Amino acid sequence: HFYLLSQESGFSFPQSAFEKLQKMFNFIDWATIDGVGIVKIGDDDSGKILHYGITPSLIASMKQQRLTHDIMFKKFGLSVHKTDTWHVTLRHHSYTKEQPSGHFHNDIGSVTIAYKGIPIIVDPGSYVYTPSVEWRNTFRSAKVHNGFFIEDVEPVLFSESSLFVLDLPEKKCHDPIWKIKHNLYSIEASRSMVIDDDSEFVIFKDSWQEMPAQGCMSVWNFTLAPDIEPQDKPELRLFCHW
């Protein structure tokens, strides 16, 4: 809005600020499922700053041209694949102590998938904040995100004294665009993905570097969008190999 007011009033607008504004709109463009809205990663507190007036036409005029179907936002820790058919995201471990962690979740390796503008696998975000520590942490936990994890063990522990702390270890993202590795369980976990636009499949390959401790169980979760009903097709069942 400040940029638009500056243009209307004839005030100069610094080029460096304009370039940063373009990057903001570029991120909005990549993170938007066409016809649906911005994909949810982490908290959803429904807060909006300067929302009204940010129209699709304004985004189209301000964003940078997409020259590829894939991009990685390394500092945020998010890979995005966007075509007319697919919208896919993969969450990486990327964090510096300069970032506030209050809205972060235990979602390393989590994915979202939409197909032809229809959300299929979604990040539910947080539905509650201050009323309940239990529910706040439930919606931040690994078990409601679309990754794989050790049952009943959080990769990063929540603080019982604060609703808005997640003590993530620092890590610069050096992952390939569609592969993640992390050691948050003290054993290496990795996920790689192949998005096949021709055959219309998204393929996951998940692995632990070594077997989890005896008595621990590796668990997968995929949170389906409300209108999606799963069908059991034997030829498409999940195969696990140890």
Side-chain angles (χ1 to χ4, degrees), residues 50-74:
L50 302 182
H51 172 72
Y52 298 102
I54 301 180
T55 61
S57 60
L58 179 62
I59 295 172
S61 66
M62 292 292 291
K63 71 179 184 181
Q64 297 163 331
Q65 184 180 3
R66 274 191 266 124
L67 301 176
T68 176
H69 297 313
D70 298 275
I71 194 170
M72 178 192 281
F73 297 95
K74 282 185 173 288

Side-chain angles (χ1 to χ4, degrees), residues 4-238:
L4 295 175
L5 288 171
S6 297
Q7 298 299 102
E8 289 291 327
S9 304
F11 295 125
S12 62
F13 196 83
Q15 181 63 23
S16 60
F18 179 75
E19 290 172 357
K20 181 170 285 189
L21 188 62
Q22 273 192 313
K23 290 180 180 180
M24 294 177 183
F25 278 96
N26 194 48
F27 179 82
I28 291 173
D29 174 55
W30 277 99
T32 296
I33 302 172
D34 293 334
V36 177
I38 295 177
V39 67
K40 293 174 175 60
I41 305 293
D43 281 0
D44 177 17
D45 61 2
S46 300
K48 295 180 177 69
I49 299 176
L50 302 182
H51 172 72
Y52 298 102
I54 301 180
T55 61
S57 60
L58 179 62
I59 295 172
S61 66
M62 292 292 291
K63 71 179 184 181
Q64 297 163 331
Q65 184 180 3
R66 274 191 266 124
L67 301 176
T68 176
H69 297 313
D70 298 275
I71 194 170
M72 178 192 281
F73 297 95
K74 282 185 173 288
K75 290 186 178 180
F76 179 33
L78 189 71
S79 290
V80 184
H81 176 82
K82 183 171 182 176
T83 67
D84 292 337
T85 303
W86 291 102
H87 190 281
V88 182
T89 71
L90 173 65
R91 192 80 163 95
H92 300 262
H93 183 186
S94 178
Y95 182 69
T96 65
K97 291 299 183 183
E98 286 76 20
Q99 295 173 268
S101 67
H103 290 273
F104 279 65
H105 291 191
N106 272 331
D107 60 357
I108 306 303
S110 183
V111 302
T112 68
I113 298 177
Y115 179 74
K116 293 185 177 180
I118 300 172
I120 298 173
I121 297 175
V122 298
D123 186 324
S126 286
Y127 293 104
V128 292
Y129 283 78
T130 53
S132 169
V133 173
E134 179 183 0
W135 281 107
R136 162 77 177 152
N137 287 336
T138 294
F139 284 114
R140 291 199 294 167
S141 67
K143 66 184 179 182
V144 302
H145 293 90
N146 307 310
F148 67 106
F149 50 93
I150 296 176
E151 189 174 31
D152 297 327
V153 180
E154 291 299 316
V156 182
L157 296 178
F158 297 121
S159 170
E160 293 299 325
S161 61
S162 174
L163 294 171
F164 298 101
V165 172
L166 188 63
D167 193 18
L168 288 164
E170 287 194 298
K171 186 177 183 294
K172 289 187 176 180
C173 181
H174 298 295
D175 295 337
I177 189 168
W178 293 110
K179 185 171 184 177
I180 65 101
K181 287 185 178 181
H182 73 80
N183 292 282
L184 297 175
Y185 284 112
S186 298
I187 58 173
E188 185 178 272
S190 66
R191 162 169 280 183
S192 59
M193 295 174 59
V194 175
I195 304 165
D196 192 324
D197 291 289
D198 295 327
S199 65
E200 301 186 339
F201 274 89
V202 177
I203 301 169
F204 299 87
K205 183 179 179 181
D206 300 331
S207 65
W208 300 98
Q209 187 180 38
E210 58 187 78
M211 289 286 289
Q214 187 174 3
C216 294
M217 181 173 290
S218 181
V219 180
W220 282 258
N221 179 70
F222 294 101
T223 300
L224 298 176
D227 295 332
I228 300 298
E229 294 184 8
Q231 295 181 358
D232 184 11
K233 292 190 175 183
E235 69 274 16
L236 297 178
R237 285 178 182 167
L238 175 68

